[in-house]
Each structure stands twice: as structure tokens, then as C-alpha cells.
Amino acid sequence: MAERAISIGTLSAWTGSKVETVRYYERIGLMPEPQAVTRLGFIRRARDLGFTLNETRELLALSTGGSRACRDARAVAASHLQDVRSRIADLRRIERVLAERLRACDFGHPPVCPLIDSLFDDARIAIGRERLGSDH
């Protein structure tokens, strides 16, 4: 689809992207010059969904169509979804640990802060695991 060229400032305003971001996308080859509104909108939406720059580039390349485009785009999205779910699981674990540490702070004010003390304990445990792994 052919698009008319517009100024970078207008493009920035229409899409909510910063001018510096548009220029960066131009430098790395995601945005052709002159700028295209729908292409930047595509990039912006892909980035909002957490796709990496490489995944976004791949999806853009697939947008030209072809018999394998949909299947390949699905594979990119499926891989990304797996990464998102993994990060969500990690964040839930982090949330549980932080909530536990904060509850420890609610039980008074000992000479040592339970939150800070628990972070040192966690660090000691992690270092111990690393040492055990390197000894074998």
C-alpha cells in the first residue's frame, strides 16, 4: 500500500511516537524514508505487545504476504507468547517473595530490617548454590 510522505514531526504526533524513536527506527532499517504512518503504527503496536526489534522486523518482512507468511507470523507470535508467559510466571514468583518480605517488616522493628536481612540471606543461598555447582 503506497503512503504519502509526511514530516517526521507530524508522524510523531499522529502515532504518539517520539521523534527520536522514529529516527532510531530509520537508522536500524525498520522505517524507510519517507516515513509511512501505518508502518510506524505497526511497529509501535508490535513493540507495545512486547515484540523485540528483531521479531518486529521479521513480522514486517512477512507482511508482504506469500504462502508461508501467516504460518511464519504465527510461529513468531507463538514463541513470543511463550516468553511472555514465562516472564509472567517469574513476576508472580517475585511478587510472592516481595509480599513475604514485606509481611516480615510488619512484625515489629528488630535491630536488623527483616527485608534487608532476607535479601542478604537470599544472596548467601544463591552464592552457596553457585559454589556447589562449580565444585562438581
Side-chain angles (χ1 to χ4, degrees), residues 28-40:
I28 66 171
L30 279 177
M31 284 291 299
E33 291 184 45
Q35 297 83 19
V37 176
T38 55
R39 186 176 179 99
L40 181 57

Side-chain angles (χ1 to χ4, degrees), residues 70-99:
C70 188
R71 183 178 64 232
D72 291 350
R74 185 189 188 292
V76 171
S79 175
H80 180 63
L81 179 58
Q82 184 177 2
D83 291 342
V84 167
R85 286 178 173 157
S86 176
R87 285 189 304 228
I88 289 170
D90 288 343
L91 287 171
R92 286 186 177 134
R93 281 190 292 277
I94 291 168
E95 178 187 30
R96 279 192 305 275
V97 169
L98 285 174

Side-chain angles (χ1 to χ4, degrees), residues 1 3 5 15 21-22 30 35 52 73 88-89 91 100 114 126 131:
M1 171 172 86
E3 296 189 61
T15 62
T21 301
V22 177
L30 279 177
Q35 297 83 19
T52 65
I88 289 170
L91 287 171
E100 289 169 7
R131 286 186 179 164

Side-chain angles (χ1 to χ4, degrees), residues 15-120:
T15 62
S17 299
K18 294 180 181 178
V19 170
E20 298 82 19
T21 301
V22 177
R23 291 197 193 287
Y24 174 71
Y25 290 158
E26 288 175 342
R27 279 195 309 277
I28 66 171
L30 279 177
M31 284 291 299
E33 291 184 45
Q35 297 83 19
V37 176
T38 55
R39 186 176 179 99
L40 181 57
F42 179 98
I43 294 167
R44 176 95 193 251
R45 185 64 182 135
R47 299 293 286 146
D48 286 347
L49 291 172
F51 285 100
T52 65
L53 289 174
N54 285 336
E55 289 168 335
T56 301
R57 186 185 318 275
E58 190 172 350
L59 290 170
L60 277 170
L62 293 169
S63 71
T64 59
S67 61
R68 297 178 48 204
C70 188
R71 183 178 64 232
D72 291 350
R74 185 189 188 292
V76 171
S79 175
H80 180 63
L81 179 58
Q82 184 177 2
D83 291 342
V84 167
R85 286 178 173 157
S86 176
R87 285 189 304 228
I88 289 170
D90 288 343
L91 287 171
R92 286 186 177 134
R93 281 190 292 277
I94 291 168
E95 178 187 30
R96 279 192 305 275
V97 169
L98 285 174
E100 289 169 7
R101 300 310 191 258
L102 288 173
R103 276 193 298 275
C105 289
D106 293 338
F107 292 112
H109 301 284
V112 176
C113 173
L115 173 65
I116 292 172
D117 199 36
S118 70
L119 293 173
F120 277 115

